[in-house]
Amino acid sequence: MSKQGTLITVNGKSYGRVVDARLTLADFLRHEINLTGTHLGCEHGVCGACTVLVDGRSVRSCLMFAVQANGCEVTTVEGLAPDGKLSVLQQAFIDNHGLQCGFCTPGMLITLTELLREKPQPSEQDVREAITGNLCRCTGYAGIVKAALDAAQRLRNGAGKAGAR
Amino acid sequence: MKPATFDYHAPRQLKEAIELLAKLPNAKILAGGQSLVPMMNFRYVIVDHLIDLGGLDELRGITLGNGLLRIGAMTRQRDLEVSPEIAKHCPLMSEALRHVGHRQTRNRGTIGGSLAHADPAAELPAVCAAYDATVHAVSVRGIRQIPFREFAAGFMATALKSDEMIAAVDVPIWRLGHGHGFHEFARRQGDFAITGAAALLDVGVDNVVRRATLTLFGVTASPLRVEAAESRLVGQPLDAGAIRAAAAAAWLIEPISDIHAGGEYRRHLAQVLSSRALNDAARRAGVTA
């Protein structure tokens, strides 16, 4: 029973696999279905790079086993730009120097996507608190915070009619 | 940084879960996994069997009745954080939850998991100590109700037997209008507290304190009720002097020393944070102290 079947919907597409029970959701995404946008920094729940949405909620995919996600809907960074068209938040990251090396970016984007969905008018404090669980070693966070606030403004002004996705 | 191999079990009913726990050797319960899985990834913890409670809807939810809130063990921390019932009847828990890890960990982490993990610096055990909560432990032998002060048995240790798991926790409700205060010091938001303090105050006519609890965490192996502070408050009119005297009782504790901070520093923090928590509680109870 150390091998188990799991059926996970990732970015709208279903993937059924028989996997080791110990396989994390992060490794499932990266190695089983080759979605390498989700990054693994620390593998013990500290850095936040592996953050994905599971049934709409941000979670650390290194702290969840793929078998636990059986029947769940997962959104990864690839799912934010389904047709290669960047989301409003992603575009705001580019425009506001919200990334440099890009390692933390997938986790930042997913975390902030959840925030903007729930709080269309976040304060700077809200943004800073939302990303306390995501480490960035390049930007000093200033560009990321600016990008999030800019994206919120653009969304309120009607950009990206599908919402922040 | 990968966990060792284990067998995975996903029971659909509580009965099935406790039977598995009774039967399987070297088995552990997987609740939210936000502490257990890092420990497995580091291989501090190696199990042969993991029993995932994620599918047990019967262990999720908050019910109000008989003067208490009953919280299912698998209720996610995030659900507690945004619950109007918790905010109304157990406001100390709402406030404490903002300090528990990060949004991503609260989305998965559960109250039962926090209590069973029993980290000395964790917030939810401190809240349970403050309200004198009762833990419901289930096993194939039946249900056992354990007062929280007996449940917290020591450093990352609980009164649970190896075949027992937490099904729910009962939090007695204080009178509406009671005051609460919660302060902790950590180097970064979301880190475990070096020291924290939680205060509850119920104030009657002429500002006389009817009930008071002061709980410190991160200072000893388990959350610590500062009874000397509580007895200095109850029956006395609540004013700045009374709060000062109560907070000063925090000097009497014998805190642990570790790599994060020395005992003397923790004792200093305990006094300062107690004072802040008591002042917040007084203000929220309608007293300007």
Side-chain angles (χ1 to χ4, degrees):
Chain A
M1 270 185 297
S2 62
K3 286 231 180 227
Q4 292 269 323
T6 188
L7 179 66
I8 309 175
T9 304
V10 183
N11 303 329
K13 199 173 154 195
S14 286
Y15 299 88
R17 295 284 190 279
V18 175
V19 298
D20 279 342
R22 65 172 178 158
L23 184 78
T24 63
L25 177 59
D27 283 342
F28 176 89
L29 295 169
R30 293 178 54 84
H31 301 311
E32 287 291 325
I33 63 175
N34 300 323
L35 292 178
T36 53
T38 298
H39 291 168
L40 271 167
C42 70
E43 295 190 301
H44 65 286
V46 171
C47 77
C50 69
T51 304
V52 299
L53 298 178
V54 175
D55 291 336
R57 290 175 157 207
S58 64
V59 308
R60 302 198 184 298
S61 61
C62 74
L63 296 189
M64 190 170 172
F65 298 113
V67 289
Q68 288 180 279
N70 185 25
C72 292
E73 297 217 8
V74 175
T75 304
T76 67
V77 68
E78 289 92 344
L80 299 184
D83 311 311
K85 188 180 176 310
L86 297 183
S87 74
V88 174
L89 180 65
Q90 286 172 310
Q91 189 58 51
F93 262 62
I94 293 175
D95 297 341
N96 292 281
H97 197 80
L99 69 158
Q100 186 174 322
C101 85
F103 197 86
C104 73
T105 312
M108 289 285 181
L109 289 168
I110 293 286
T111 299
L112 289 168
T113 296
E114 180 186 49
L115 174 74
L116 296 183
R117 190 187 63 213
E118 289 183 2
K119 226 176 214 176
Q121 201 155 351
S123 65
E124 180 181 332
Q125 182 61 34
D126 292 333
V127 173
R128 288 193 179 274
E129 210 172 304
I131 59 172
T132 54
N134 296 78
L135 299 182
C136 171
R137 301 288 78 150
C138 301
T139 64
Y141 303 97
I144 294 170
V145 173
K146 229 174 114 197
L149 294 172
D150 186 22
Q153 180 71 49
R154 292 186 201 184
L155 287 164
R156 290 200 300 276
N157 292 344
K161 287 184 200 77
R165 271 196 288 268
Chain B
M1 292 290 290
K2 312 288 179 193
T5 304
F6 57 84
D7 284 358
Y8 175 79
H9 307 266
R12 307 305 298 186
Q13 287 179 337
L14 180 58
K15 187 171 170 291
E16 199 187 337
I18 54 180
E19 282 169 5
L20 286 168
L21 186 59
K23 184 180 75 182
L24 298 170
N26 189 24
K28 262 209 176 290
I29 295 288
L30 175 62
Q34 302 302 290
S35 298
L36 177 60
V37 179
M39 290 169 83
M40 289 174 67
N41 285 358
F42 276 122
R43 302 204 183 188
Y44 290 148
V45 173
I46 295 178
V47 298
D48 291 324
H49 300 274
L50 208 51
I51 304 166
D52 181 7
L53 304 186
L56 301 185
D57 291 338
E58 58 195 298
L59 293 187
R60 248 188 291 278
I62 303 158
T63 47
L64 179 65
N66 300 328
L68 46 88
L69 281 166
R70 177 161 297 172
I71 305 172
M74 283 298 289
T75 310
R76 308 276 177 198
Q77 291 158 1
R78 174 66 183 171
D79 292 330
L80 294 170
E81 187 186 349
V82 297
S83 156
E85 281 120 331
I86 299 290
K88 183 173 175 189
H89 297 290
C90 191
L92 181 67
M93 185 178 288
S94 300
E95 183 156 344
L97 279 160
R98 289 185 213 130
H99 298 272
V100 177
H102 308 281
R103 174 67 186 270
Q104 299 100 327
T105 60
R106 295 196 294 272
N107 278 340
R108 293 290 302 164
T110 64
I111 185 167
S114 288
L115 300 184
H117 185 60
D119 190 295
E123 291 85 359
L124 286 174
V127 171
C128 287
Y131 280 106
D132 285 317
T134 302
V135 175
H136 293 235
V138 283
S139 69
V140 287
R141 295 174 288 122
I143 283 204
R144 191 159 69 102
Q145 297 198 7
I146 313 171
F148 190 79
R149 63 178 60 199
E150 289 166 31
F151 177 83
F155 179 78
M156 299 184 84
T158 69
L160 289 176
K161 302 275 191 282
S162 62
D163 65 343
E164 283 180 323
M165 52 172 258
I166 303 172
V169 56
D170 283 348
V171 182
I173 289 173
W174 282 36
R175 209 163 57 103
L176 277 181
H178 75 271
H180 69 281
F182 188 94
H183 281 269
E184 69 172 50
F185 181 77
R187 294 209 185 274
R188 292 167 302 193
Q189 164 80 33
D191 281 7
F192 275 115
I194 289 173
T195 294
L200 290 173
L201 288 174
D202 184 10
V203 179
V205 284
D206 295 332
N207 289 349
V208 171
V209 178
R210 294 154 43 121
R211 292 174 83 182
T213 70
L214 178 65
T215 309
L216 296 172
F217 55 100
V219 290
T220 46
S222 311
L224 180 70
R225 283 276 292 271
V226 190
E227 283 164 14
E230 295 169 3
S231 60
R232 284 180 194 185
L233 287 164
V234 175
Q236 303 298 316
L238 188 61
D239 56 25
I243 289 178
R244 234 183 347 262
W251 283 110
L252 304 173
I253 63 168
E254 289 296 331
I256 50 166
S257 288
D258 62 17
I259 54 163
H260 302 294
E264 276 305 305
Y265 180 54
R266 280 194 159 92
R267 183 180 288 124
H268 170 75
L269 281 176
Q271 190 268 327
V272 171
L273 297 169
S274 293
S275 171
R276 289 180 189 167
L278 286 165
N279 272 299
D280 278 0
R283 184 171 43 77
R284 287 168 173 150
V287 179
T288 325

